[in-house]
Amino acid sequence: MSITFNSFVQIALFLALVLALTKPLGLYMTKVFNGERTWLSPVFAPLERFLYRACGIDPAREQRWTGYVIAMLVFNLAGMLLLYGLERTQQWLPLNPQHLGPVEPQLAFNTAASFTTNTNWQNYAGEQTMSYLTQMAGLTYHNFISAATGMALAVALVRGLARHSAEHLGNFWVDLTRATLYILLPICLVGALVLVSQGVVQNFNPYTVVHTLDGGLQVIAQGPVASQEIIKELGTNGGGFFNANSAHPYENPTALTNLIEMLAIISIGAGMFYMFGRMVGNTRQGWALWAAAAILFVLGLAVALPAEQGGNPLLAHLGVNQQASALQPGGNMEGKEVRFGITDSVLFTVTTTATSCGAVNSFLDSYTPLGGLVPLANIALGEVIFGGVGSGLYGMLMFAILTVFIAGLMVGRTPEYLGKKIERKEVMMAALALLISPATVLGFAAVASVLPQGLASLTTNTGPHGLSEILYLYTSSNGNNGSAFAGLAGNTPFYNWTGALAMLIGRFAFLIPILAFGGSLVGKRVVPAGPGTFPTTGPLFVSLLVGVILIVGALTYFPAYALGPIVEHLLMLAGRTF
């Protein structure tokens, strides 16, 4: 089935809005991270200076890549331990009107690792597990800080490419503070108020017990939702206040809030591409990366949307009418909210998995095999399709380095990027960063697929879809995404421990070679472009970059990832269940 005209209009409008936001956001972030005066400086500059004095930070003192990495690791370790402690002691702390008990140790560790790494994988129902204090001071705090950490690391890498014959990549504490104060906090203040105006809940009331029409009782959960909702999207975190995440009407009540949340998810990632171009002195470099991301984004929609609008082949064999009409939306509406329909559900899904967000407004486990393959592939490609805040940019830059390396091999020249020679050490660091994820994901998935502790969680799907559920869990965890094929029961000791390890490896083991790469480049001189220099701003580079991303993904993941969905799809076309 082809994409409908209505779907085409919605997608085109969304991409036009993303394009319109890219340059102003990119310009603003360039000023923020360069320490230039912005229109918010009169408000936040005094607070910024106070924080530096209170914490004993010298903003003029920059760090080498090793110092930058150590500061980042120590800060995140401290935050993870504090969140774990908060979860374990919430029963004694205020803002717990439902008198929720302590979070079980293994689940608390998994959750602490999840929110520290910007993953927000949730093996629990938020409204049944976390107090208001834990949601705000623990989870929402990490939504800000993990996002700011990603932005700081991306900026450090860009400095490594922009500077020459230098030693330092910046100051982690300064970059972290500026990302939080000048970018995340003001947008979230305004965004939360907008969401409240549209019906998103924000209060500290106990849950409401109501009498239903059939005489029963229903507990209506509520709480400080809007303040967490906006940063979970803007920071590409994804963890929902409620178990239903952005499908819940208290988190995402209307089509307008759905659009606002999608734009919040993707806007900073898109803007950072332009920021990169400004900081290296050539905006065409940034637009080239933006174009590659946009092509991959549209490719994902071109596969997932027709698959979902075409409906379920098993129902077609039974003679069920799945065509859109005045009386029904048509297609595969299982697991989707009527107020969003198929187009807005798929667009949200592709957006949230192209970035590292993981928020969902529909149930991914109910997607058709090909529809479900797209979010899985988006995460496996490194979430470089605009990507998470910061992580999308530095992931895309690793692929750009690999692309110029391959292009250099084709013409027999030492590869260059932005006038700097890409030599053995840089290629090794880029390759190491890109290979960590498939090694981790496939290793954990292989173990889970044969051990009884892993197979026991496949409560509803034991065939090819069960394999996809295991692969999705570790792909989402290691990719710091957090979305799920939720048919797999993840709240077990086995998946809590292995999932947490996959998250920590995917975040921090991936970042160390990236910062080492930046530290190596910052000391290099810029070499003037010659007749053999491969241009990295034109259609040829964009095409080659897209090809390299897809080929690397195919070589590292395709045999395992495509097996389940393709077998499912063929069985469904044949009219057989699995």
Side-chain angles (χ1 to χ4, degrees):
M1 179 177 178
S2 60
I3 297 176
T4 64
F5 178 74
N6 176 276
S7 300
F8 176 81
V9 171
Q10 291 190 62
I11 293 169
L13 175 62
F14 177 70
L15 289 175
L17 290 172
V18 173
L19 179 62
L21 289 170
T22 296
K23 184 174 179 178
L25 260 177
L27 283 170
Y28 178 71
M29 289 189 288
T30 302
K31 290 185 176 182
V32 168
F33 289 113
N34 283 340
E36 301 173 24
R37 183 177 177 82
T38 70
W39 62 281
L40 285 175
S41 293
V43 178
F44 289 111
L47 178 58
E48 180 186 5
R49 290 192 295 269
F50 169 77
L51 291 174
Y52 294 152
R53 288 196 301 269
C55 299
I57 296 169
D58 180 3
R61 184 179 179 181
E62 295 196 339
Q63 300 163 315
R64 299 177 184 230
W65 80 267
T66 50
Y68 207 100
V69 166
I70 291 171
M72 179 269 295
L73 291 175
V74 170
F75 178 75
N76 280 271
L77 175 61
M80 180 176 169
L81 294 176
L82 287 172
L83 176 55
Y84 179 83
L86 182 59
E87 293 178 78
R88 296 289 294 138
T89 59
Q90 67 175 11
Q91 72 275 21
W92 298 316
L93 299 174
L95 294 177
N96 186 7
Q98 299 308 118
H99 307 291
L100 299 172
V103 182
E104 187 270 335
Q106 293 160 343
L107 177 59
F109 177 77
N110 181 280
T111 304
S114 176
F115 279 78
T116 300
T117 58
N118 197 249
T119 307
N120 288 32
W121 178 276
Q122 296 174 288
N123 280 333
Y124 62 90
E127 66 270 37
Q128 298 173 11
T129 310
M130 302 295 178
S131 70
Y132 291 168
L133 182 66
T134 304
Q135 294 267 26
M136 293 187 299
L139 307 186
T140 303
Y141 163 81
H142 274 280
N143 285 348
F144 277 95
I145 296 305
S146 63
T149 297
M151 297 171 73
L153 293 165
V155 170
L157 178 60
V158 172
R159 292 194 187 107
L161 289 163
R163 296 175 177 179
H164 53 88
S165 302
E167 295 181 355
H168 303 104
L169 296 178
N171 187 310
F172 171 74
W173 308 110
V174 172
D175 293 336
L176 180 81
T177 302
R178 288 175 177 167
T180 305
L181 285 182
Y182 291 93
I183 301 171
L184 299 176
L185 189 59
I187 296 176
C188 286
L189 286 172
V190 175
L193 292 174
V194 172
L195 291 181
V196 169
S197 74
Q198 296 300 306
V200 179
V201 172
Q202 180 74 17
N203 62 45
F204 295 103
N205 298 335
Y207 296 173
T208 302
V209 179
V210 298
H211 293 274
T212 63
L213 294 177
D214 61 0
L217 294 177
Q218 181 180 353
V219 178
I220 300 178
Q222 54 199 299
V225 180
S227 55
Q228 180 168 327
E229 186 70 16
I230 185 62
I231 185 57
K232 95 169 191 190
E233 313 293 18
L234 185 68
T236 59
N237 300 280
F241 190 96
F242 300 104
N243 188 40
N245 208 281
S246 291
H248 198 291
Y250 282 179
E251 287 197 23
N252 188 11
T254 68
L256 178 58
T257 60
N258 196 63
L259 175 61
I260 292 170
E261 291 181 17
M262 286 192 296
L263 289 173
I265 291 169
I266 204 170
S267 57
I268 289 182
M272 292 201 87
F273 286 143
Y274 187 83
M275 179 203 74
F276 161 71
R278 292 283 296 190
M279 292 182 74
V280 300
N282 185 352
T283 55
R284 293 180 64 193
Q285 298 285 350
W287 284 120
L289 302 183
W290 195 99
I295 290 170
L296 291 167
F297 187 86
V298 172
L299 284 176
L301 287 171
V303 175
L305 192 52
E308 295 305 304
Q309 288 180 336
N312 189 326
L314 289 175
L315 296 180
H317 279 282
L318 297 175
V320 177
N321 180 9
Q322 299 181 79
Q323 296 298 314
S325 68
L327 299 178
Q328 64 177 21
N332 177 35
M333 277 295 293
E334 180 186 350
K336 298 178 180 65
E337 293 292 306
V338 175
R339 68 184 185 277
F340 300 137
I342 291 176
T343 299
D344 285 349
S345 298
V346 173
L347 184 57
F348 196 102
T349 295
V350 173
T351 300
T352 197
T353 54
T355 65
S356 67
C357 184
V360 292
N361 72 350
S362 56
F363 195 56
L364 303 189
D365 208 38
S366 296
Y367 274 46
T368 61
L370 295 183
L373 177 60
V374 170
L376 184 59
N378 281 345
I379 304 172
L381 291 177
E383 295 166 318
V384 297
I385 309 171
F386 297 112
V389 287
S391 62
L393 176 58
Y394 56 67
M396 182 67 87
L397 286 172
M398 290 301 100
F399 277 112
I401 296 302
L402 190 58
T403 300
V404 297
F405 172 71
I406 293 172
L409 292 178
M410 292 179 179
V411 297
R413 286 178 55 91
T414 301
E416 301 172 12
Y417 190 58
L418 302 177
K420 295 189 175 183
K421 297 286 187 182
I422 306 300
E423 298 174 304
R424 180 175 177 269
K425 180 179 179 181
E426 290 79 40
V427 174
M428 286 180 61
M429 290 299 102
L432 177 61
L434 294 175
L435 289 175
I436 285 172
S437 288
T440 304
V441 170
L442 297 179
F444 276 122
V447 172
S449 299
V450 296
L451 288 184
Q453 295 91 331
L455 296 173
S457 291
L458 297 176
T459 55
T460 57
N461 297 296
T462 56
H465 193 69
L467 173 62
S468 295
E469 288 180 341
I470 293 174
L471 283 168
Y472 201 103
L473 183 150
Y474 289 112
T475 304
S476 180
S477 298
N478 185 258
N480 302 139
N481 184 272
S483 61
F485 276 2
L488 182 146
N491 189 16
T492 66
F494 178 81
Y495 282 115
N496 275 329
W497 286 116
T498 59
L501 289 175
M503 295 176 214
L504 294 170
I505 292 171
R507 178 70 160 182
F508 300 115
F510 179 65
L511 288 174
I512 293 173
I514 286 178
L515 265 294
F517 175 88
S520 176
L521 284 182
V522 75
K524 294 196 172 195
R525 294 177 300 153
V526 174
V527 179
T533 300
F534 179 55
T536 54
T537 58
L540 179 60
F541 172 74
V542 172
S543 301
L544 187 57
L545 176 58
V546 171
V548 167
I549 293 171
L550 293 175
I551 290 171
V552 169
L555 291 176
T556 54
Y557 285 113
F558 183 79
Y561 278 44
L563 178 62
I566 288 177
V567 170
E568 290 179 60
H569 184 67
L570 293 175
L571 287 172
M572 292 176 75
L573 289 177
R576 296 178 59 188
T577 58
F578 41 87

